Amino acid sequence: MEKFAIVTRYDETSKSIGEKIKETLTQKGYVFSEESPETVFVVGGDGTYIEAIHQYLDLIPNVKFLGLHTGTLGFFTEYQDNELDDLLQMYMSNEYKVLEFPLLAVQAGDKVYHAVNEVRVENVSRTQVLDVYLSGEYLERFRGTGMCVCTQLGSTAYNRSLGGAVIQDGLDLIELTEIAGIHHSKYRSLYAPLILKKETEVVLKSESFCKAILGVDANTYTLDQEQELKIKVCDCKHVRMIKGKSISYFKKLSTLF
Ligand code: NAP
Ligand code: MN
């Protein structure tokens, strides 16, 4: 029988749904294992789902994720809190597809971090200068607060707040968006969000990242010592998601925004 784990948001509704999942599945012979689950149930929001992926990043080739959203619809989940029975039925009958989604990898010095939604450089202390290279080719010198590189999944998150385009599901693309760029007669950069092939390596170089932060989904890191960031779709890690029923992407968009 499959081994499973559960990640829940902090609220009581999510926790009690998590308990029900654990109870039902253990009664049916599934094995609860937080160390080596094959399926991770996520109860909460899109943020909880991303957190669960980060929690199980080291086991990622062997784990698939299944989400239930407590609140509204979510971009990562097709089931809501009144549909727990349907979700369990679907899981136990194995009537589902497993879809793979790419992760971004960012290399900063000798460290590599992975992102589901986006990688961003932000500097609120001073103007950040960034030289942008796309797969080895120089594009521009940017000046402003920073830049964001997102996945298709992440296009509705931070990227959307930056005025980036929402990318329809099924399109294997990444997007580069400026964060408060300076544009006038002396300095200019593209300004428009740029949608790129998934093979593109985005390199951001700077003489100084002093006081800049590297944002990787909900996590942040300091960048003071680095001079270069390499951002690319990760070749080896993909997220596997259980999809039982399908809800149209446009339904999600129109319901959520
Ligand atoms: P959070 O501050 O709790 O989340 C911010 C909001 O973003 C929540 O409503 C969350 O939905 C939603 N969200 C997360 N991923 C999404 C996606 N792919 N598509 C649409 N909405 C999404 O932080 P968090 O829950 O840990 O999530 C981290 C993400 O939040 C970051 O990767 C970043 O994209 C986003 N964020 C956005 C802004 C902004 O737009 N200015 C600022 C900070 C963070 P749920 O309520 O369902 O969790
Ligand atoms: Mn959240």
Side-chain angles (χ1 to χ4, degrees):
M1 279 299 229
E2 265 212 356
K3 291 190 276 184
F4 71 98
I6 304 171
V7 175
T8 58
R9 201 169 49 197
Y10 49 80
D11 61 288
E12 289 308 318
T13 311
S14 302
K15 280 190 205 158
S16 91
I17 291 174
E19 281 305 316
K20 273 189 212 157
I21 294 174
K22 189 172 172 182
E23 214 174 284
T24 310
L25 293 183
T26 40
Q27 271 172 15
K28 299 276 181 191
Y30 292 86
V31 180
F32 183 71
S33 165
E34 288 185 316
E35 296 72 40
S36 56
E38 290 152 277
T39 296
V40 173
F41 288 82
V42 186
V43 187
D46 287 331
T48 322
Y49 202 103
I50 292 167
E51 198 186 305
I53 295 169
H54 281 274
Q55 203 172 315
Y56 284 100
L57 211 50
D58 291 340
L59 301 178
I60 212 96
N62 305 315
V63 178
K64 45 199 186 309
F65 295 86
L66 172 52
L68 184 141
H69 205 290
T70 40
T72 65
L73 272 176
F75 279 98
F76 294 79
T77 53
E78 279 67 41
Y79 292 83
Q80 289 176 257
D81 41 14
N82 57 352
E83 296 172 308
L84 177 60
D85 293 344
D86 293 355
L87 175 135
L88 289 171
Q89 182 56 38
M90 173 276 291
Y91 171 69
M92 292 189 291
S93 61
N94 288 310
E95 278 166 21
Y96 56 75
K97 288 188 281 192
V98 178
L99 299 187
E100 280 198 357
F101 292 86
L103 290 170
L104 286 172
V106 53
Q107 191 185 335
D110 54 5
K111 299 212 173 65
V112 176
Y113 305 100
H114 292 88
V116 182
N117 272 344
E118 79 283 301
V119 171
R120 52 195 196 273
V121 188
E122 289 180 87
N123 198 328
V124 292
S125 303
R126 59 180 183 88
T127 299
Q128 181 66 48
V129 180
L130 294 171
D131 285 322
V132 182
Y133 294 81
L134 301 176
S135 298
E137 198 174 331
Y138 177 71
L139 175 75
E140 63 183 9
R141 172 162 287 190
F142 165 89
R143 287 179 179 82
T145 297
M147 291 195 128
C148 174
V149 180
C150 74
T151 59
Q152 179 275 321
L153 278 175
S155 69
T156 42
Y158 204 113
N159 170 72
R160 180 176 164 273
S161 307
L162 297 171
V166 170
I167 302 174
Q168 188 184 359
D169 63 339
L171 292 174
D172 217 352
L173 300 164
I174 60 173
E175 184 169 345
L176 173 70
T177 310
E178 295 188 357
I179 307 175
I182 300 172
H183 306 95
H184 52 48
S185 56
K186 236 165 91 199
Y187 301 140
R188 65 176 60 84
S189 49
L190 185 62
Y191 181 69
L194 181 58
I195 296 179
L196 298 161
K197 292 179 193 164
K198 69 166 194 299
E199 297 81 17
T200 313
E201 180 183 58
V202 179
V203 174
L204 305 175
K205 293 190 193 186
S206 185
E207 274 181 18
S208 170
F209 281 107
C210 184
K211 301 238 168 85
I213 62 129
L214 174 65
V216 180
D217 297 339
N219 306 320
T220 53
Y221 308 92
T222 52
L223 270 180
D224 289 354
Q225 307 303 316
E226 316 306 334
Q227 295 205 309
E228 180 177 293
L229 296 169
K230 286 184 183 167
I231 305 159
K232 200 175 182 301
V233 166
C234 182
D235 298 326
C236 43
K237 285 189 202 284
H238 310 267
V239 192
R240 295 164 65 230
M241 300 186 185
I242 292 184
K243 299 289 174 187
K245 61 175 172 180
S246 68
I247 291 185
S248 114
Y249 191 67
F250 303 125
K251 166 116 200 263
K252 288 183 181 178
L253 270 187
S254 62
T255 308
L256 277 156
F257 298 127

